[in-house]
Amino acid sequence: MALSFITGSITLSSWGFGAGDIAVIAGAGRAVGNWVMAQRRDRALLEFLQLQPEDILQRKGLMDTIALHNRWDKKLTLLKNGRLCTIENSSTGTIVENMDAFTWFMSLLVATLDAAVSSKLLKELIVQFLADTICDKTTGSADYLVNEAQQHIMGWRSSATVRSISHTARGIWQRLAREHRHLPGEIPRNDSGEILRFLMWVASDSSTRHITTSTDVMCLAHVLGELGLDLLVTNYNGGSFDENRLVVSLSTLPLIKSLTLATNGLTKRHGMRIPLDDLKESVSLWPGDGHKRNQYRAIFTCGARAAEGVKLVICEKHYSLDEEEIDVYYTVQQSTKLFTTRAEGNNHTILDHFVLAPTIPAAKLVAKLTSSWPSRSREQIGHWVGELCLNQNTEEEIGHFELATKICLAELQIFLLGYWYTILLPLVDVSQLPVQEAYGSWGWTDIQVPKAIRRLTLSKDPDDGRIPRFEVLRLLGYLLAGAEYDEQLLPLRRRSAGVLGKLALVTASLMGGADTPEKVGRFFLLDVDASCIPSNSRGIILCGLRKPCPKVAPQGIPQTISQTLAESPCGQGDFSSHIEPDWGYDAQRVLIAYRDGGRMVHRISPVDGDIAVLTSWVPPVRQGHQGTVRAQQFTGATIAKLTEYHGGVQVRQPDLNSSALEAGQFGAERPEASELGIVVLTKSLPKARTCILSMYGAGVAVLCSDNFAKAAEDSITAAFIA
């Protein structure tokens, strides 16, 4: 029976989506809201409130839905089988049905606000805008709007993301910052009133002129105009416009040309553009003149140089399978010598609190940084760092600092950003981003930056130096994904597989093919519709429960090594994978469903799959070197075909007394149980290898890269040839 989900004149199945993918997309639409269900949910909302779209969008001719349909509905970008998939109509026509004016307007509005404000403020603005619009048209709707708003916002954000509207809005907003039309970063909360006044004017006012004192509102109008509200224009120079145009004017001149260092919490901006191909440019938009910004870039570069020879690598050993919430760990690897002499003054405290390893380059560059500071500033910062309070993040902590000290603290932040971006970026696959830009949640002179870094360094085990993966995920989400620190990142815990901020940051196992320790240690940064990635209300991705696998005997019979080696996996296609909720336990948790030619193989918990890979890995034996104890050759093995694992079953070697063994090729010398194994030939099939290895679980199978292998502590049950 074929399963499809209708999206206008086409079906998801015709785009190559399997039954599992379709079920997840439809389920996400019903549960949290997405592009498939957005318009249907909007119609239900208006019907419940007994309203028409015109009751909210009272301004006539605000948008041309046909033009929007023809512009934005020709291409969709979705996540399919662990990769971004672009769907286009070969005839250059649209590929989905048109949306109503209300859904179009809200999708454009959410995309614009998402580029300019925090997620928390976005929700508050949308709820207040809707409440103010309909307050005199219906009663008792406020509580209903508050409860329903998040699902509708997810639907509007999803609609904008799959159509690349959100990506376009973010690009326009960042371009305006580079042109000095607005301060870099997110609009602060104290501008909410001015934003709401503008939105009410756009949607329901009868006048065609709006005057604002906010350059941010001017830029919001500019973004909305470029996205498709063609009547909306911005007037900076006092020119004349057609009477049908909606003109937004700035009441004060001029545009922002130069800014002084902001020390007031009300003016501080968070949410910084991170150009991944030139990281130091992330501090180029800081307040200051050209000379000062050159200094900032130089300090950032010094921080990056301090990280030379130091990297985080996945920890392949020391996993206790009895641990209740077992998780993945990293360890520090260094190729440069440590600084063995105690650093002078407060430099020791900076090295101890903020760097992974006090190498000679790090010590020298920290000393170079602090040598330019006034002695009073060194003392104040050293004392503050030494007594750093991680559970407090208020400007009162540094309110008594002199201006010179605050400038020095900003320089320390820039140095640390250079260091940690250099350390962490190699762990992240950014190849699927449409534009090589990430999103940092920090702001200038932001005391949260050193505190976020200190939280990670404190998590380092004093005995073996291991660092939990969720701590690395927390800092990455802060530096690259635009996740909100207090709301999203602080609640992260063990077995977290990602976080949904402005961008989605997920572990490699969620993409389906983490079949080596190196891949297990990687993350993916995605600018993708995240509505189909299960998460809790904070946007944290948690792993579901491991599903048991019944055991069956192999269909083949044991063979000698020479016979087994003669077999080849040629012609086999790899498994496909998709992310789905753990329907049987908690729909807010995630599992990876693997299929082989459309047939379900099994659903894997990402963290459990990672642990299985790490505890099963046998490193390649280099030519001319002896293998380890775990890399001894089998006497014989039984080859299990991929199809034998369909339905989530484990293939186990039969009893030695079975007739299958008697009929084998070993003659009178029957091998011991430890000399036989199950071999699955999975060369160039990373998803099949990941899935089947995870089905056996941690400490059971052996993942062998260039040889047959057997376990040191138990009889072998599975082996793989890479």
Side-chain angles (χ1 to χ4, degrees):
M1 179 181 69
L3 175 63
S4 63
F5 193 92
I6 302 298
T7 58
S9 59
I10 44 76
T11 64
L12 287 173
S13 60
S14 70
W15 293 342
F17 286 85
D21 298 294
I22 296 170
V24 171
I25 292 173
R30 290 190 296 270
V32 298
N34 66 3
W35 62 278
V36 174
M37 305 293 287
Q39 179 161 272
R40 187 176 302 181
R41 279 183 169 274
D42 291 348
R43 289 173 177 172
L45 172 67
L46 295 176
E47 182 178 346
F48 178 83
L49 297 175
Q50 298 181 339
L51 295 173
Q52 297 297 320
E54 296 78 16
D55 294 325
I56 297 177
L57 302 179
Q58 298 177 40
R59 190 184 289 276
K60 304 297 183 182
L62 180 60
M63 68 186 75
D64 184 346
T65 58
I66 300 298
L68 291 171
H69 178 53
N70 290 330
R71 177 183 177 185
W72 295 112
D73 285 344
K74 292 183 177 181
K75 181 174 71 172
L76 299 182
T77 303
L78 303 171
L79 189 63
K80 173 188 172 186
N81 195 22
R83 302 290 299 177
L84 289 185
C85 173
T86 300
I87 301 163
E88 296 182 85
N89 193 324
S90 58
S91 63
T92 69
T94 57
I95 57 177
V96 290
E97 285 185 341
N98 199 1
M99 296 190 296
D100 295 339
F102 176 69
T103 305
W104 268 118
F105 178 78
M106 296 307 298
S107 297
L108 296 178
L109 177 56
V110 166
T112 300
L113 292 177
D114 202 31
V117 304
S118 68
S119 298
K120 185 176 181 180
L121 183 56
L122 184 150
K123 180 180 177 180
E124 294 175 4
L125 288 170
I126 292 295
V127 171
Q128 192 61 52
F129 165 69
L130 292 175
D132 291 348
T133 305
I134 66 177
C135 63
D136 60 340
K137 303 177 182 65
T138 182
T139 58
S141 59
D143 291 340
Y144 183 78
L145 280 175
V146 170
N147 294 329
E148 287 287 306
Q150 187 59 38
Q151 294 181 348
H152 287 273
I153 291 172
M154 284 293 291
W156 297 324
R157 178 183 279 126
S158 173
S159 297
T161 302
V162 299
R163 292 171 170 85
S164 298
I165 300 173
S166 294
H167 165 66
T168 304
R170 195 179 302 123
I172 299 169
W173 181 257
Q174 292 171 351
R175 187 193 76 218
L176 294 174
R178 292 193 296 270
E179 295 173 358
H180 304 294
R181 299 292 184 93
H182 66 82
L183 287 165
E186 297 170 344
I187 302 175
R189 181 177 298 277
N190 55 312
D191 265 6
S192 298
E194 193 67 12
I195 295 173
L196 284 169
R197 192 171 72 87
F198 162 69
L199 295 180
M200 292 297 295
W201 170 78
V202 170
S204 57
D205 205 300
S206 58
S207 69
T208 59
R209 298 293 184 270
H210 179 79
I211 298 176
T212 179
T213 58
S214 169
T215 55
D216 290 318
V217 170
M218 288 286 287
C219 290
L220 288 178
H222 191 114
V223 176
L224 280 171
E226 285 201 34
L227 291 181
L229 298 189
D230 296 332
L231 293 180
L232 195 60
V233 295
T234 52
N235 178 19
Y236 289 100
N237 302 316
S240 59
F241 293 89
D242 186 278
E243 61 180 10
N244 294 321
R245 293 282 189 169
L246 305 179
V247 182
V248 183
S249 300
L250 191 64
S251 65
T252 57
L253 294 175
L255 300 179
I256 301 170
K257 296 297 183 182
S258 63
L259 303 165
T260 57
L261 183 67
T263 59
N264 188 320
L266 293 178
T267 60
K268 184 174 295 182
R269 317 269 288 208
H270 295 82
M272 294 294 161
R273 164 183 168 265
I274 313 297
L276 297 173
D277 52 359
D278 193 1
L279 291 169
K280 66 179 179 295
E281 288 301 312
S282 61
V283 298
S284 289
L285 294 180
W286 279 38
D289 56 23
H291 174 70
K292 196 66 178 176
R293 290 171 182 168
N294 286 335
Q295 285 185 321
Y296 291 158
R297 284 190 287 266
I299 293 171
F300 188 98
T301 302
C302 284
R305 287 168 49 204
E308 290 177 1
V310 180
K311 60 180 179 179
L312 278 175
V313 297
I314 202 70
C315 184
E316 299 180 23
K317 301 178 181 179
H318 310 299
Y319 288 97
S320 172
L321 302 184
D322 297 327
E323 192 176 339
E324 184 175 351
E325 285 203 334
I326 188 170
D327 202 355
V328 175
Y329 290 89
Y330 290 86
T331 188
V332 180
Q333 188 178 93
Q334 62 196 53
S335 59
T336 53
K337 293 182 179 180
L338 294 177
F339 187 74
T340 55
T341 306
R342 182 179 177 86
E344 295 182 2
N346 296 311
N347 294 348
H348 170 76
T349 306
I350 293 175
L351 290 169
D352 179 67
H353 280 52
F354 300 128
V355 305
L356 281 178
T359 60
I360 292 176
K364 288 183 176 179
L365 289 166
V366 166
K368 178 182 177 182
L369 172 70
T370 59
S371 65
S372 62
W373 295 352
S375 57
R376 172 65 174 164
S377 297
R378 285 199 297 269
E379 291 176 6
Q380 285 185 316
I381 292 175
H383 180 74
W384 179 75
V385 169
E387 298 185 359
L388 202 60
C389 179
L390 301 184
N391 297 321
Q392 183 180 358
N393 183 29
T394 61
E395 296 300 320
E396 285 78 9
E397 291 182 60
I398 60 172
H400 64 285
F401 284 4
E402 299 166 357
L403 178 59
T405 301
K406 292 181 179 180
I407 293 174
C408 294
L409 190 59
E411 293 179 355
L412 175 62
Q413 175 189 338
I414 295 170
F415 182 91
L416 295 178
L417 288 172
Y419 182 90
W420 281 96
Y421 274 115
T422 303
I423 292 287
L424 294 177
L425 194 57
L427 299 178
V428 185
D429 188 320
V430 298
S431 61
Q432 298 195 49
L433 289 174
V435 175
Q436 291 297 293
E437 286 188 352
Y439 199 95
S441 297
W442 47 269
W444 60 72
T445 322
D446 189 349
I447 62 174
Q448 185 65 69
V449 172
K451 292 188 176 187
I453 293 169
R454 181 55 177 157
R455 190 177 293 275
L456 183 142
T457 59
L458 278 175
S459 70
K460 187 177 179 181
D461 190 289
D463 296 323
D464 54 28
R466 296 189 305 169
I467 299 173
R469 181 166 66 179
F470 76 92
E471 293 287 358
V472 177
L473 175 63
R474 175 181 288 139
L475 188 54
L476 277 171
Y478 180 63
L479 295 180
L480 292 174
E484 297 185 25
Y485 198 82
D486 293 334
E487 296 290 328
Q488 293 184 279
L489 298 175
L490 279 183
L492 275 175
R493 58 183 187 270
R494 291 177 180 272
R495 298 178 67 83
S496 296
V499 63
L500 305 179
K502 295 288 187 178
L503 302 175
L505 179 68
V506 301
T507 59
S509 51
L510 259 71
M511 308 300 279
D515 62 328
T516 67
E518 182 183 4
K519 292 180 183 178
V520 168
R522 295 185 69 79
F523 298 86
F524 278 78
L525 192 63
L526 305 169
D527 187 3
V528 67
D529 172 28
S531 64
C532 294
I533 303 177
S535 65
N536 64 16
S537 59
R538 296 181 183 271
I540 299 172
I541 304 170
L542 297 171
C543 294
L545 294 182
R546 184 171 185 262
K547 306 301 180 185
C549 299
K551 300 174 180 59
V552 299
Q555 296 175 5
I557 61 174
Q559 303 177 110
T560 63
I561 290 300
S562 59
Q563 290 172 315
T564 307
L565 283 171
E567 296 286 343
S568 172
C570 293
Q572 294 180 140
D574 201 3
F575 290 177
S576 63
S577 68
H578 66 260
I579 300 168
E580 69 173 41
D582 188 350
W583 298 113
Y585 171 60
D586 183 350
Q588 290 188 331
R589 291 176 177 258
V590 69
L591 294 174
I592 309 301
Y594 289 89
R595 297 177 183 271
D596 182 18
R599 295 283 302 276
M600 173 59 69
V601 181
H602 199 50
R603 294 175 174 87
I604 302 298
S605 176
V607 168
D608 291 328
D610 290 341
I611 299 298
V613 170
L614 294 174
T615 58
S616 307
W617 177 250
V618 177
V621 179
R622 291 179 293 172
Q623 189 172 4
H625 289 72
Q626 293 292 328
T628 64
V629 175
R630 297 185 66 192
Q632 298 176 26
Q633 288 191 338
F634 294 133
T635 300
T638 302
I639 293 180
K641 299 178 180 179
L642 298 183
T643 55
E644 296 183 50
Y645 292 90
H646 289 184
V649 297
Q650 279 186 24
V651 179
R652 291 277 185 162
Q653 194 63 267
D655 191 284
L656 282 176
N657 295 321
S658 70
S659 59
L661 185 59
E662 296 291 347
Q665 307 295 320
F666 300 98
E669 296 294 330
R670 290 195 307 178
E672 298 293 331
S674 61
E675 297 174 339
L676 289 177
I678 299 293
V679 172
V680 186
L681 300 172
T682 55
K683 185 175 183 179
S684 302
L685 305 176
K687 293 195 176 187
R689 179 162 46 231
T690 303
C691 173
I692 296 174
L693 182 67
S694 302
M695 290 167 64
Y696 283 102
V700 178
V702 170
L703 177 58
C704 183
S705 58
D706 65 349
N707 203 346
F708 290 114
K710 71 177 184 178
E713 301 175 358
D714 196 7
S715 60
I716 189 66
T717 57
F720 301 76
I721 300 177

